[in-house]
Amino acid sequence: MSERNASSSGTPGAGGTGGVGGFRDRLLGRVKLSGWLALAAPLLAVLFAALITSVVLLIAGSSPLDAFDALAQYGTQPRTMAVILNSATMYYISALAVAIGFRMNLFNIGVDGQYRLAAVVAAGVGGAALLPGVLNILLVLVVAVLVGALWAGIAGLLKVKRGVSEVIATIMLNAIATGLASWLMSNHFGVLNGNELATRPIPADSQMPGMALISGTPQLVNGFLVVAIILGIAYYVLLNRTRFGFELRATGMSEPAAVASGIGVKRMIVTTMVLSGAVAGLAGMPELLGESHKYSNNFPSGLGFDGIAIALLGRNNPVGMALGALLWSFLSNSSNSLQMLNISKETADIMKGVTVLSVIIAYELVHRYRIVAEQRRAGQETAAAPAAEGAAA
Amino acid sequence: MRQRPRFPGPHAYDLVCHRPPRYSSRRGPAISTATVTAPAVELTGITKRFPGVVANRDIQLRVTKGQIHAIVGENGAGKSTLMKILYGMQRPDEGEIRVEGKPVAFHTPADAIAAGIGMVHQHFMLADNLTVLENVILGSEPRRAGVAVDFRAARRKIKEISDAYGLGIRPDVPVEELGVGDRQRVEILKVLYRGARILILDEPTAVLVPHEVDELFENLRGLVREGLTILFISHKLDEVLRVADAITVIRRGTTVASVDPKDMTARRLAELMVGSELPSPETRESTVTDTVVLSVRDLTVGGVDGRAIVEGVGFDIHKGEVLGIAGVEGNGQAELVEALMGIRPCTTGSLMLDGKDISGWSTLKRREGGIGYIPEDRHRHGLLLEAPLWENRILGHQTRRPNVKGPWIDRSGARADTRRIAEDYDVRTPGIDTAAAALSGGNQQKLIVGREMSGDPVLLIASHPTRGVDVGAQAAIWDHLRNARANGLAVLLISADLDELIGLSDSLKVILRGRIVADVDPANVTPEQLGSAMTGAGEAAAQ
């Protein structure tokens, strides 16, 4: 009576354990952990990451305790705290963009191309100062959102109309975005200043003001922190409290069930890609409006890929991703302090990678533990009460 | 050891003369010598549980060496789980597996292969762009000097196997140039190449046209003649009776009978498969009215290859009427339902719901227009397994009260209504925040029935509404269907359970190869008569 019960319980490739959902569902946080297990997973991950990093440091011939001490000292200085917050803001927005796709089983690898192309065009428009003051900020934001959305929308349309995997399409669009961005820079928006090709800076009255949040340092916290927090709340509300969010999650959990329920899956794919791209377009804005005020070769790169890692770290949960973004930003910024201990700064990259892997492994272990425990319980219960099943045959 | 001598004297004409007369005369010597041989495979007391369900319970199976042993049962009866256990893809919770007398414990399919058990999957697992040879050796390439692939040795071995069993395989042809029957032979050869002496064939005829089925059976007989053992899984009874030397019937997860095909008819086998001790779904006092709720005319659904899967189907369902569709699975029922729900493209014909033409409507609009839907596969189409019950209450009703207010999800409304459904429909659950996957099949189905009834439907499409649920839930679901019918609901009932169909339906139609071939009066039909009408044999009798 139940071969279908067992085999259809997960996405394809769920393996044969008969548990709920496949590895991918668990990886993307579509299966929730409850009770003490929800706490056990991240704790396990931190311990595991610290352990591996210690081993790596020992192999490299440095003392793990000294390294962790240096990191702790670095992280508690007022100035670095402000710097960490500022880069975390960008990471967080990028992670949100990735997570929107993840919740629907769409892998938007193209956040990287989307934010860079959006930043170039927005920087060009902003530098032209078509509107005065705050209106210019709004214009820049609208342009960035539109460019990101359009660029991601191409991948969505290709998937719906031609069945092109969004993974392939967005990766290739990343490459095209790189070319398009340099063409735009050299032929339209760029101004050669000495050796540096950059867009015209955004006028001072249209720059995002910083906030003196952290005392003891002149380093201001980027005003975009507020925008990032609002986006995080909006992400939660949209996914969990609206019909659209329900349809998005339902499609992510089971496309056949969504189809049978009258959800227009194709429309959802395009809408979700566009939404993901729109948020991606904002990822470069803290830098553009709050820090450098122009797009140049020094503009942060690879934010989109950081976003993927952080979305995985935070299991697509808005609070989890915020913590993940802070941790990521801390590790990225702390590499210099490691160099002072003669530890190569690439160690910080190893730590980042190890952390992501530990989180994935820890959650998977905890999930598997839960499945086995559940199966054992179900086994005991059904064995204790075979009467109901047995009556039939 | 061979049960069947290669050239059995009295039956020598079998090898010369082809087609019909052979299978009737073939069985004699096989069965008579069967008792003296040790079983190739013996399963005792195999039980496999998944959360909330027992997939297999106390399975007893004895497969004699050198025979074609068929395992029959309805979809969902537990055949596949059993085969996965035997092939090492699942581990049993209880029970013992013996292969050629020795107890074994398989952890992976590799263990099963090492013990001489091979599986030919229903869906071929071949790389199209590689040759037959390359496909066969893929994963177990013979090596020369440790590195290079020894194609010559492989080709020789493939030729040997192919000749020995009369498979007629050409090793150097790319697989993409082969037809379905040839591909299946390649799959069989792949398994033999890895040294299998016991072959499991999972629904091998599902993808074949009749003459390919004949060829396959020819090959299978060749294999058993050489002393191999074949486990043949199917729900096509006529084929099973043609080819099998022994039959084991599985129903509701357990083996209910081991029979000799010689003393079996398709009808009796069907009875064993479906069972007859279920509570009666009887409804006799008619509530049928004159008001037509759903009117279907000339409905045709095209398949991928342009051939029609459903062709020219037409019927009316009235208020208070249950219309049953009987048919052997795979004759277009699923596609018919999907066409009615607006899920399936390539559909032509007219659909009128309450006098409105709905053929251009989306699935959502049809649902909002008053069609309730109990899908055939509740896990794939009816539930979000990882989501809590109250979110599953919203599924399919995500535009309507009490689930939403405008664009917002109405959490308290949906949650309160989920509690009501759990109460009214006796969904046994720790709470409405429990994930749907944690419930047993029967409770999941009661939740779906409750949800679909809550949308005030005028028409309910119920596909196998009590499949895979326990007897208690089955009786409860039947009660709900009867009550709704008495309140004027029109129901389209598709089921493989003939007692359910006859008991619940006010009128019955038989579908065969996508066409309605007979109208049957449920008041004067026995499951046997209906069963033969479904296979096309008793068309005249039923009409």
Side-chain angles (χ1 to χ4, degrees):
Chain A
M1 70 161 55
S2 24
E3 59 194 28
R4 71 180 49 237
N5 296 3
S7 57
S8 60
S9 59
T11 52
T17 48
V20 180
F23 172 69
R24 212 200 215 186
D25 290 309
R26 301 193 286 266
L27 179 68
L28 301 183
R30 282 192 291 263
V31 185
K32 287 232 159 45
L33 287 172
S34 55
W36 65 275
L37 287 175
L39 249 149
L43 279 179
L44 202 65
V46 169
L47 277 176
F48 198 69
L51 195 77
I52 302 273
T53 309
S54 305
V55 172
V56 170
L57 286 168
L58 281 175
I59 291 172
S62 343
S63 152
L65 286 179
D66 289 353
F68 288 134
D69 185 54
L71 285 178
Q73 295 223 342
Y74 171 84
T76 44
Q77 288 164 14
R79 188 188 162 276
T80 46
M81 279 158 76
V83 170
I84 287 169
L85 269 182
N86 286 349
S87 18
T89 305
M90 289 191 290
Y91 290 144
Y92 185 61
I93 297 174
S94 168
L96 283 176
V98 175
I100 291 171
F102 273 174
R103 287 307 290 267
M104 213 188 95
N105 235 344
L106 277 177
F107 287 69
N108 183 3
I109 311 294
V111 169
D112 210 61
Q114 289 145 25
Y115 94 83
R116 274 186 287 124
L117 196 62
V120 170
V121 180
V125 171
L130 300 171
L131 294 172
V134 182
L135 287 179
N136 200 20
I137 294 185
L138 287 179
L139 177 69
V140 166
L141 291 181
V142 168
V143 167
V145 163
L146 282 180
V147 172
L150 281 175
W151 203 244
I154 297 172
L157 280 178
L158 280 173
K159 187 178 172 82
V160 170
K161 297 280 180 206
R162 283 280 172 272
V164 181
S165 160
E166 78 283 2
V167 177
I168 310 290
T170 50
I171 288 175
M172 299 208 284
L173 282 168
N174 278 348
I176 300 173
T178 305
L180 192 56
S182 31
W183 177 77
L184 285 173
M185 283 298 286
S186 47
N187 291 318
H188 291 277
F189 302 137
V191 180
L192 205 55
N193 191 356
N195 265 339
E196 194 198 43
L197 183 69
T199 57
R200 255 185 282 275
I202 291 171
D205 64 346
S206 309
Q207 294 173 359
M208 194 78 168
M211 305 176 291
L213 270 189
I214 293 169
S215 55
T217 171
Q219 175 75 41
L220 295 177
V221 174
N222 197 315
F224 245 84
L225 181 66
V226 181
V227 178
I229 292 171
I230 292 172
L231 279 175
I233 295 170
Y235 168 85
Y236 176 84
V237 171
L238 180 77
L239 281 179
N240 296 291
R241 296 299 171 105
T242 68
R243 196 184 118 194
F244 174 81
F246 176 80
E247 294 186 351
L248 189 151
R249 285 185 297 123
T251 314
M253 282 190 269
S254 168
E255 201 176 303
V259 170
S261 308
I263 295 169
V265 169
K266 289 187 167 181
R267 191 175 45 88
M268 288 302 296
I269 288 173
V270 176
T271 318
T272 306
M273 272 317 270
V274 164
L275 195 64
S276 175
V279 176
L282 289 174
M285 293 304 105
E287 173 75 15
L288 180 68
L289 289 170
E291 304 275 339
S292 60
H293 311 303
K294 63 189 177 197
Y295 188 94
S296 68
N297 284 337
N298 296 325
F299 204 79
S301 63
L303 274 183
F305 300 109
D306 293 316
I308 295 172
I310 294 162
L312 287 175
L313 266 181
R315 308 252 121 190
N316 297 330
N317 176 301
V319 177
M321 285 188 291
L323 296 174
L326 286 170
L327 179 65
W328 203 255
S329 167
F330 165 66
L331 290 173
S332 304
N333 286 306
S334 62
S335 51
N336 291 336
S337 69
L338 288 176
Q339 268 179 314
M340 289 197 260
L341 286 172
N342 274 332
I343 300 172
S344 76
K345 64 176 186 160
E346 282 74 19
T347 311
D349 289 334
I350 295 180
M351 285 182 189
K352 286 198 271 186
V354 165
T355 312
V356 174
L357 283 179
S358 318
V359 166
I360 290 168
I361 293 168
Y363 270 92
E364 184 60 18
L365 284 178
V366 171
H367 273 297
R368 287 201 181 173
Y369 168 81
R370 185 188 58 101
I371 289 167
V372 170
E374 215 168 61
Q375 252 173 351
R376 203 179 299 127
R377 209 179 54 233
Q380 281 161 357
E381 279 168 16
T382 35
E389 299 279 349
Chain B
M1 249 337 173
R2 256 165 221 167
Q3 284 79 44
R4 200 173 293 126
R6 192 147 187 198
F7 298 103
H11 302 289
Y13 65 86
D14 275 6
L15 297 167
V16 191
C17 137
H18 283 272
R19 312 272 189 266
R22 54 201 352 271
Y23 42 84
S24 53
S25 55
R26 182 185 49 82
R27 264 180 224 118
I31 306 290
S32 58
T33 51
T35 44
V36 296
T37 52
V41 178
E42 189 171 16
L43 304 182
T44 32
I46 295 288
T47 297
K48 176 71 190 174
R49 304 186 188 90
F50 295 111
V53 289
V54 181
N56 281 154
R57 180 165 40 79
D58 195 24
I59 293 273
Q60 310 289 348
L61 178 66
R62 232 179 111 93
V63 181
T64 309
K65 201 168 169 188
Q67 287 200 346
I68 301 178
H69 192 117
I71 295 177
V72 300
E74 285 189 88
N75 278 355
K79 290 172 298 190
S80 295
T81 308
L82 180 60
M83 288 308 114
K84 282 180 187 161
I85 288 172
L86 190 52
Y87 191 51
M89 291 160 79
Q90 301 267 357
R91 295 181 61 188
D93 297 325
E94 286 165 27
E96 191 186 41
I97 306 174
R98 280 170 180 271
V99 175
E100 321 227 299
K102 288 187 291 289
V104 290
F106 298 146
H107 297 263
T108 64
D111 297 339
I113 292 167
I117 297 180
M119 177 106 149
V120 177
H121 294 273
Q122 183 179 354
H123 303 287
F124 303 146
M125 304 196 173
L126 297 172
D128 276 357
N129 50 347
L130 299 184
T131 65
V132 169
L133 173 87
E134 288 163 336
N135 264 291
V136 169
I137 63 172
L138 197 64
S140 56
E141 299 86 350
R143 298 288 181 181
R144 197 168 44 194
V147 277
V149 177
D150 190 349
F151 282 108
R152 191 138 33 110
R155 189 172 291 114
R156 200 169 50 234
K157 192 170 165 193
I158 289 173
K159 275 303 257 189
E160 273 170 27
I161 299 172
S162 172
D163 292 347
Y165 300 109
L167 294 175
I169 300 247
R170 292 164 297 159
D172 294 306
V173 181
V175 164
E176 60 195 348
E177 290 175 14
L178 297 182
V180 179
D182 283 324
R183 285 177 194 224
Q184 193 165 48
R185 276 190 284 279
V186 174
E187 283 280 5
I188 292 174
L189 193 132
K190 223 166 92 180
V191 174
L192 295 173
Y193 183 87
R194 284 158 178 74
R197 305 287 299 158
I198 300 161
L199 267 64
I200 304 171
L201 278 80
D202 189 5
E203 303 272 357
T205 60
V207 288
L208 302 181
V209 298
H211 82 267
E212 288 172 329
V213 171
D214 291 339
E215 282 172 17
L216 171 71
F217 287 178
E218 197 65 29
N219 292 138
L220 296 187
R221 284 179 200 126
L223 293 172
V224 290
R225 263 201 297 275
E226 297 297 321
L228 266 59
T229 308
I230 291 173
L231 270 160
F232 182 92
I233 305 167
S234 184
H235 62 244
K236 296 189 180 168
L237 302 182
D238 50 335
E239 290 177 356
V240 166
L241 287 172
R242 262 171 67 193
V243 76
D245 299 310
I247 301 176
T248 297
V249 183
I250 295 193
R251 179 180 357 127
R252 291 180 171 258
T254 194
T255 42
V256 292
S258 284
V259 296
D260 187 330
K262 267 192 304 186
D263 343 313
M264 270 290 139
T265 61
R267 281 184 200 176
R268 287 193 46 206
L269 207 49
E271 275 181 81
L272 282 173
M273 263 168 66
V274 176
S276 46
E277 69 279 64
L278 304 173
S280 161
E282 221 64 11
T283 38
R284 275 297 160 249
E285 74 293 2
S286 175
T287 57
V288 182
T289 62
D290 292 339
T291 326
V292 175
V293 175
L294 179 73
S295 167
V296 178
R297 289 289 172 273
D298 206 23
L299 181 71
T300 297
V301 180
V304 211
D305 51 1
R307 223 177 29 194
I309 306 172
V310 175
E311 209 174 345
V313 166
F315 52 79
D316 285 335
I317 311 180
H318 301 85
K319 233 168 123 68
E321 179 185 10
V322 176
L323 173 68
I325 302 274
V328 176
E329 213 141 329
N331 274 289
Q333 299 95 318
E335 290 77 10
L336 170 66
V337 167
E338 286 179 1
L340 295 178
M341 285 309 298
I343 295 168
R344 198 158 183 106
C346 327
T347 306
T348 58
S350 100
L351 297 175
M352 305 284 278
L353 180 72
D354 267 347
K356 291 186 286 278
D357 180 7
I358 63 164
S359 48
W361 288 15
S362 68
T363 306
L364 182 65
K365 204 162 172 208
R366 291 182 198 201
R367 277 177 164 279
E368 287 174 338
I371 304 184
Y373 178 36
I374 301 175
E376 174 181 349
D377 183 341
R378 59 178 165 269
H379 282 181
R380 272 172 59 75
H381 298 112
L383 292 171
L384 301 173
L385 287 171
E386 292 113 54
L389 295 190
W390 70 269
E391 288 195 345
N392 275 290
R393 162 68 184 93
I394 302 174
L395 190 70
H397 304 255
Q398 65 272 17
T399 53
R400 284 177 267 175
R401 286 183 163 275
N403 301 323
V404 290
K405 282 181 182 156
W408 303 98
I409 295 283
D410 181 354
R411 284 168 82 99
S412 56
R415 293 174 64 92
D417 201 57
T418 311
R419 268 185 225 107
R420 178 191 64 79
I421 291 174
E423 184 90 2
D424 291 357
Y425 289 80
D426 189 30
V427 182
R428 308 223 175 117
T429 167
I432 57 166
D433 289 307
T434 308
L439 298 193
S440 74
N443 284 314
Q444 289 175 342
Q445 194 72 349
K446 284 189 275 188
L447 176 76
I448 293 178
V449 172
R451 172 181 78 196
E452 297 305 325
M453 296 291 194
S454 305
D456 285 330
V458 293
L459 168 71
L460 179 71
I461 298 177
S463 241
H464 305 277
T466 64
R467 170 182 280 171
V469 307
D470 56 83
V471 179
Q474 185 176 41
I477 291 168
W478 283 339
D479 273 342
H480 291 305
L481 290 179
R482 271 191 288 258
N483 291 342
R485 163 182 169 272
N487 292 330
L489 184 71
V491 180
L492 179 70
L493 176 68
I494 284 114
S495 178
D497 182 336
L498 301 186
D499 290 320
E500 176 174 273
L501 273 177
I502 295 172
L504 284 179
S505 303
D506 296 298
S507 46
L508 263 173
K509 288 183 188 293
V510 178
I511 192 167
L512 182 67
R513 288 183 216 100
R515 293 164 169 276
I516 301 286
V517 294
D519 282 311
V520 180
D521 178 3
N524 319 306
V525 72
T526 63
E528 288 75 24
Q529 289 166 338
L530 188 56
S532 56
M534 281 159 55
T535 58
E539 258 167 75
Q543 270 165 341

